[in-house]
Amino acid sequence: MGKLIDTINLVMKHLLNVIMTVLTISVFAQVIFRFVLKSSLAWTEELAIYCLVWLTFLGAAYAMSLRAHIGVTFFTDLFPLRIRQGFFILATVASIAFYFIMIIQGYDLMNQGMKQLSPVLAIPMGYIYAVIPVSGFFLTVNLIAVFVKEFKTGGHSA
């Protein structure tokens, strides 16, 4: 199961690189057209916004696999190991509950958005909103993988 999750995260990493490249090219093209050619492109701003949304949500899921999310441990470090483990379990359960809400409500939003077209690119907004349930799923998978790894190693995984 670990190999599958690693492969998914590798694919996600490359997808994030592609999205970042599209975002950079889009913004660069807008700057060139607006300030050098004195004519702006309408679609570049919208594309950049949608790329940034996808980059943010999928980036959060990828960061979960790397354990790169910020955590404030000052308060929990004051307690003994057993209580810290309890906090970790509680935080994991609360996070998974939130991610399930993201998946369910994001799926509903995605379906509703299929009837609405984006203003300039004229693509269904459901494709943009699809990142919510997709990232919720990957956040859940990566959090469970991190949780299992933490407990297998006694909380000392790097």
Side-chain angles (χ1 to χ4, degrees):
M1 189 67 160
K3 282 275 196 196
L4 177 63
I5 293 171
D6 290 342
T7 303
I8 289 170
N9 286 321
L10 182 65
V11 170
M12 193 177 341
K13 176 183 174 182
H14 292 305
L15 179 61
L16 288 167
N17 288 330
V18 169
I19 294 170
M20 185 66 180
T21 302
V22 171
L23 172 66
T24 303
I25 290 170
S26 172
V27 171
F28 183 73
Q30 178 64 2
V31 168
I32 295 298
F33 271 81
R34 181 171 290 176
F35 295 110
V36 176
L37 301 177
K38 305 292 186 208
S39 170
S40 68
L41 299 171
W43 58 270
T44 56
E45 182 179 352
E46 191 171 294
L47 179 62
I49 290 169
Y50 298 152
C51 285
L52 186 61
V53 169
W54 272 80
L55 194 66
T56 302
F57 277 86
L58 287 181
Y62 181 68
M64 180 67 70
S65 73
L66 302 176
R67 297 180 58 228
H69 284 280
I70 191 167
V72 180
T73 60
F74 173 76
F75 179 70
T76 57
D77 286 345
L78 298 174
F79 293 96
L81 179 63
R82 285 285 181 214
I83 295 175
R84 284 193 308 237
Q85 287 175 332
F87 283 141
F88 182 60
I89 292 169
L90 183 65
T92 301
V93 169
S95 295
I96 289 173
F98 177 75
Y99 301 149
F100 277 140
I101 292 170
M102 276 179 65
I103 293 167
I104 294 165
Q105 295 299 315
Y107 181 76
D108 289 343
L109 181 64
M110 180 187 74
N111 283 333
Q112 292 171 9
M114 287 301 189
K115 300 174 195 138
Q116 175 189 2
L117 296 178
S118 67
V120 178
L121 295 174
I123 58 173
M125 289 301 294
Y127 293 135
I128 308 307
Y129 300 146
V131 74
I132 299 170
V134 168
S135 65
F137 171 76
F138 289 126
L139 278 162
T140 303
V141 168
N142 283 328
L143 181 58
I144 290 170
V146 166
F147 181 82
V148 168
K149 188 175 183 180
E150 285 288 323
F151 268 76
K152 280 185 177 178
T153 62
H156 298 297
S157 64

